[in-house]
Amino acid sequence: MNKRFNFKNGPILLFSFILLLKGAVAWFVVFDDGPSWSMVLTEIPFFMIVFSLIEWFATKRKILYYMIANLCITLIYFSVLMYYKYYGVIATYHALQQVDKVTKVGESTYSLITPYYLFIFVDIVFFLFFMFRPKYIAKWKERGSKRMNRMVLIVITAVSFGLCVFNIWPNHASMNEIKKAESMGILNYEVYTLFADTREKDEIIDSKEITQQAVNDLKGTDTPATPQYWGADKGKNLIVVQMESFQNFLIGLKVDGQEITPNLNKLVQENTYFNNFYTNAGQGTTSDAEFVVNTSFYVPKNEPATSSVYMKKELPSLPKLLSSNGYDTATFHTNSVEFWNRQDLYKAIGFGKYYDQSFYGDDDHIAFGASDEVLYDKTVPELAKIDTGDKPFYAMVISMSAHHPYRMPEEKVKINLPEEYDGTLLGDYIRAQNYADYAMGQFLEDLKTSGLWEDSLIVFYGDHQGVPMYTLGSKEKDLMEQLIGHEYGYTDMFNIPFIVHSPSGQLPAVMERTGGQIDIMPTVANLLGVSMEHQLHFGEDLFNQETNLIPLRHFLPTGSFLNDQTMYVTGKGYEDGSNFSLKDNSMTPDGSTEAQFTAAQRLLDLSNSYIMQLPDQQ
């Protein structure tokens, strides 16, 4: 072998080859077309720059520096493929801000690991094994003392840097983060994001331009002079039930002749059901859903609402609005209030009281706290106690047992699924939601026997997707297609139920117009006869509007949105984006307009600008 290319003189080649294999694993998971020759042209130049710097500056322990660089890049690739498996987007440095959450949802995180992912750590284990053997350490020191020719290093660095710039610059304007990362290369994209965020600040729109009329004009809506159903439930309590990971395809679903959610099916049949309703949660998932529902603002761009500067602001909110109209307010969740910084969230949006793990204890533990049965069993007596006061109340109740990865204790499993569901995420999800429905049935019964049912406006909705399409294997995709009658896709994944129980009995049975969590606040305010005339909101009263435009954030490429017919998913720009029918997820050549695309982005900017200019909490 030519000495210029053996390990003694060319660790740069060995480690570049090792990392190229790891890059191929990440590309296989993240990009539709998997690894390609473009990967060689985008990833290798980055390796070469890093390793050339080591060759240039390292005089001792050169192999150690190679191994450290190898480990760091390996961790980036591993983070990217793990993050994509759940969120469907490319992880960047922003995700590192949530590393502490990983330790708290360890089982959920570990369940995403496919055995072949660990392949990318094999070489590191190998190197560590030999590092502690003196004879190998001596050999590596000798080999690491050899320097590459300076002129060769200059050429390699210059060519590699030129290729990186060539890969980055022509693609920097692309709005689709997945396409951008594929065109730039994963590592180039990570570096570009870091520098772009330090140079490009979000536009802050003058507060004088941020009015309800401006929002309505962008959405194509008008506030009616005499809203239908105004005050239909005036003076009633409001109970908001947020259901963990609950997707709409479960409603009415049967497997082997068994109803998955019999109690919710009955609830749908006897109350008002919005079947074309979607989640607006972002990176903060459950806590983001709480934020959106209680503020009618959109989540921030690169972080959970509860980890952002939003929590320092005097946020207009549903609890504050109802409190000013004579309501007591409280929220109920069996996890610790510190998780997802809920102590900051509840302060920012103004809940009068919260009940968390310190109230519920940790008996009958499922997922991250006491079971849904414990949640509902202990919550109803508290609601009844609050109801004895002179004022109506607003209570938010958040379930948690059906949390990813849906590992239910054997004694909690209430349904027998066919054998093909064993060992699948889909099977575990169905079992968990069947248990959640069982607990919900007890809750509904307790609400009725306590008298709260007829004295309360009660709404139910899912918080976020439960079955990420990026996580499913081919077998699970086939099972899902058999269940829902078409290929599982974006519109199915983000579609959640919204059910309204109105004591007035005036509401229609089914509402098919497009809606989202952003719309819950103005919708219930109308039914309670509470004016939002002086409170900016980005949602709309779903009983009094015929059209909707809902920007989507985080789980889809920047620029994606919902309208009345389709879900639009951005390409590099608007023109090469895709429209998915809300009826069956089929792709359609039209269904959206560039004007809607522009308006959706403007809505996000207005929301962020308004919040950023609010006064800080005192």
Side-chain angles (χ1 to χ4, degrees):
M1 180 185 288
N2 190 315
K3 290 186 178 181
R4 289 177 298 175
F5 295 99
N6 65 20
F7 181 68
K8 180 176 180 178
N9 296 296
I12 192 170
L13 298 179
L14 174 66
F15 280 95
S16 293
F17 177 72
I18 288 172
L19 286 175
L20 188 63
L21 293 178
K22 298 178 181 186
V25 174
W27 277 57
F28 180 79
V29 172
V30 174
F31 304 127
D32 291 338
D33 297 330
S36 64
W37 283 109
S38 64
M39 184 190 77
V40 177
L41 298 175
T42 55
E43 303 293 334
I44 283 186
F46 188 95
F47 307 154
M48 288 297 181
I49 291 175
V50 173
F51 295 153
S52 293
L53 292 173
I54 294 174
E55 289 287 344
W56 191 274
F57 293 107
T59 56
K60 297 180 179 179
R61 303 185 182 90
K62 185 194 298 183
I63 301 302
L64 176 62
Y65 294 135
Y66 268 100
M67 293 172 62
I68 292 172
N70 177 31
L71 175 61
C72 292
I73 294 174
T74 299
L75 290 173
I76 292 173
Y77 280 140
F78 185 71
S79 299
V80 165
L81 64 87
M82 286 291 291
Y83 200 78
Y84 179 83
K85 285 286 283 184
Y86 187 80
Y87 290 105
V89 293
I90 302 289
T92 64
Y93 73 95
H94 295 288
L96 296 177
Q97 300 170 2
Q98 309 308 321
V99 167
D100 63 315
K101 305 296 189 301
V102 173
T103 61
K104 297 177 182 178
V105 293
E107 185 181 9
S108 183
T109 303
Y110 303 146
S111 71
L112 297 172
I113 298 177
T114 301
Y116 75 82
Y117 293 178
L118 301 178
F119 164 76
I120 67 175
F121 292 105
V122 168
D123 66 298
I124 294 172
V125 175
F126 176 82
F127 283 130
L128 287 174
F129 177 76
F130 286 100
M131 268 187 67
F132 297 100
R133 293 174 175 259
K135 66 175 182 178
Y136 289 106
I137 293 174
K139 288 181 181 179
W140 287 2
K141 284 183 178 179
E142 178 189 351
R143 293 167 180 174
S145 66
K146 303 292 183 180
R147 288 193 173 197
M148 288 184 66
N149 182 279
R150 293 301 196 195
M151 185 55 65
V152 173
L153 278 177
I154 290 172
V155 172
I156 289 175
T157 304
V159 171
S160 297
F161 182 79
L163 285 172
C164 286
V165 172
F166 178 78
N167 290 325
I168 291 172
W169 186 251
N171 300 295
H172 79 282
S174 173
M175 296 191 72
N176 186 316
E177 291 81 359
I178 299 292
K179 293 182 182 293
K180 186 183 289 188
E182 186 172 16
S183 299
M184 291 183 176
I186 291 175
L187 300 175
N188 287 331
Y189 173 72
E190 297 292 339
V191 172
Y192 165 78
T193 302
L194 181 62
F195 280 96
D197 285 355
T198 60
R199 294 172 61 89
E200 300 172 7
K201 300 299 182 183
D202 289 335
E203 175 192 5
I204 300 298
I205 300 167
D206 192 301
S207 58
K208 295 177 183 177
E209 299 180 38
I210 310 174
T211 64
Q212 194 61 54
Q213 190 59 52
V215 172
N216 293 349
D217 289 345
L218 287 168
K219 291 168 66 73
T221 61
D222 238 334
T223 303
T226 308
Q228 194 174 17
Y229 309 119
W230 170 261
D233 297 300
K234 190 172 183 62
K236 298 294 186 182
N237 304 315
L238 172 63
I239 301 175
V240 172
V241 183
Q242 182 168 291
M243 302 180 292
E244 175 65 42
S245 304
F246 197 96
Q247 290 182 221
N248 195 50
F249 77 86
L250 293 167
I251 299 295
L253 180 68
K254 291 183 179 181
V255 176
D256 209 23
Q258 305 167 91
E259 283 187 284
I260 304 305
T261 58
N263 293 299
L264 281 168
N265 292 346
K266 184 178 179 183
L267 191 67
V268 162
Q269 292 163 5
E270 297 176 351
N271 296 277
T272 302
Y273 170 45
F274 290 79
N275 60 4
N276 202 21
F277 196 82
Y278 297 85
T279 176
N280 296 121
Q283 188 178 354
T285 56
T286 298
S287 62
D288 271 357
E290 292 175 74
F291 170 81
V292 171
V293 168
N294 282 292
T295 63
S296 198
F297 294 128
Y298 305 109
V299 295
K301 181 164 60 176
N302 291 316
E303 56 190 337
T306 56
S307 300
S308 72
V309 70
Y310 288 10
M311 296 298 100
K312 298 178 181 178
K313 299 295 183 178
E314 285 287 357
L315 293 171
S317 69
L318 183 58
K320 291 177 183 178
L321 177 67
L322 293 181
S323 180
S324 68
N325 280 269
Y327 277 69
D328 287 324
T329 62
T331 183
F332 301 79
H333 191 319
T334 61
N335 204 342
S336 169
V337 73
E338 283 81 21
F339 190 57
W340 283 120
N341 303 323
R342 281 189 171 91
Q343 74 277 19
D344 295 335
L345 173 65
Y346 297 154
K347 180 182 178 183
I349 62 179
F351 271 115
K353 188 174 183 180
Y354 66 78
Y355 296 77
D356 74 336
Q357 192 173 61
S358 60
F359 171 76
Y360 291 101
D362 201 28
D363 293 338
D364 200 27
H365 185 98
I366 299 178
F368 306 112
S371 69
D372 283 0
E373 289 174 87
V374 172
L375 167 70
Y376 297 137
D377 187 55
K378 289 191 174 183
T379 296
V380 173
E382 284 299 308
L383 295 180
K385 188 186 303 182
I386 298 171
D387 195 43
T388 60
D390 297 331
K391 299 190 293 184
F393 66 80
Y394 164 37
M396 187 171 199
V397 183
I398 302 165
S399 72
M400 192 172 60
S401 291
H403 193 289
H404 186 275
Y406 317 118
R407 304 282 169 74
M408 298 300 296
E410 192 62 36
E411 67 273 14
K412 297 295 184 183
V413 176
K414 309 292 181 181
I415 189 171
N416 292 316
L417 296 178
E419 186 177 342
E420 59 262 33
Y421 288 88
D422 292 345
T424 67
L425 176 70
L426 181 59
D428 290 341
Y429 176 73
I430 289 174
R431 293 184 188 94
Q433 293 296 359
N434 176 256
Y435 164 75
D437 180 81
Y438 165 79
M440 177 66 75
Q442 294 183 332
F443 179 53
L444 297 175
E445 187 61 34
D446 289 345
L447 287 174
K448 292 173 182 177
T449 57
S450 67
L452 290 167
W453 182 257
E454 290 305 322
D455 199 33
S456 306
L457 171 65
I458 310 177
V459 301
F460 306 80
Y461 64 91
D463 59 354
H464 56 78
Q465 66 272 28
V467 186
M469 54 191 285
Y470 327 103
T471 307
L472 299 179
S474 57
K475 175 185 176 182
E476 290 170 305
K477 289 178 181 178
D478 290 342
L479 286 172
M480 183 66 85
E481 186 169 352
Q482 292 172 24
L483 289 177
I484 65 177
H486 60 262
E487 184 179 355
Y488 183 63
Y490 292 121
T491 58
D492 306 299
M493 184 169 67
F494 297 113
N495 184 202
I496 57 174
F498 178 45
I499 308 163
V500 179
H501 162 69
S502 169
S504 71
Q506 300 178 31
L507 307 185
V510 178
M511 298 288 288
E512 296 190 348
R513 62 194 55 162
T514 302
Q517 291 166 338
I518 196 84
D519 301 313
I520 291 178
M521 181 177 175
T523 299
V524 299
N526 175 64
L527 295 175
L528 293 172
V530 174
S531 175
M532 293 192 65
E533 182 180 358
H534 301 296
Q535 184 154 333
L536 183 71
H537 51 282
F538 287 81
E540 60 188 52
D541 172 12
L542 295 176
F543 290 109
N544 285 280
Q545 299 295 342
E546 296 296 330
T547 188
N548 212 338
L549 178 66
I550 305 176
L552 298 173
R553 178 163 263 176
H554 188 72
F555 290 103
L556 288 173
T558 297
S560 302
F561 62 88
L562 283 161
N563 60 26
D564 301 321
Q565 293 88 34
T566 65
M567 177 181 288
Y568 168 82
V569 178
T570 319
K572 291 186 175 181
Y574 172 74
E575 295 78 8
D576 62 337
S578 302
N579 289 287
F580 297 87
S581 169
L582 298 183
K583 293 182 179 179
D584 59 6
N585 195 59
S586 60
M587 289 185 66
T588 176
D590 49 29
S592 66
T593 67
E594 190 164 3
Q596 290 176 328
F597 173 77
T598 303
Q601 302 319 297
R602 180 71 173 177
L603 287 168
L604 293 173
D605 291 339
L606 288 174
S607 175
N608 181 65
S609 296
Y610 182 79
I611 294 174
M612 296 301 289
Q613 294 175 83
L614 288 170
D616 290 341
Q617 296 176 30
Q618 297 302 312

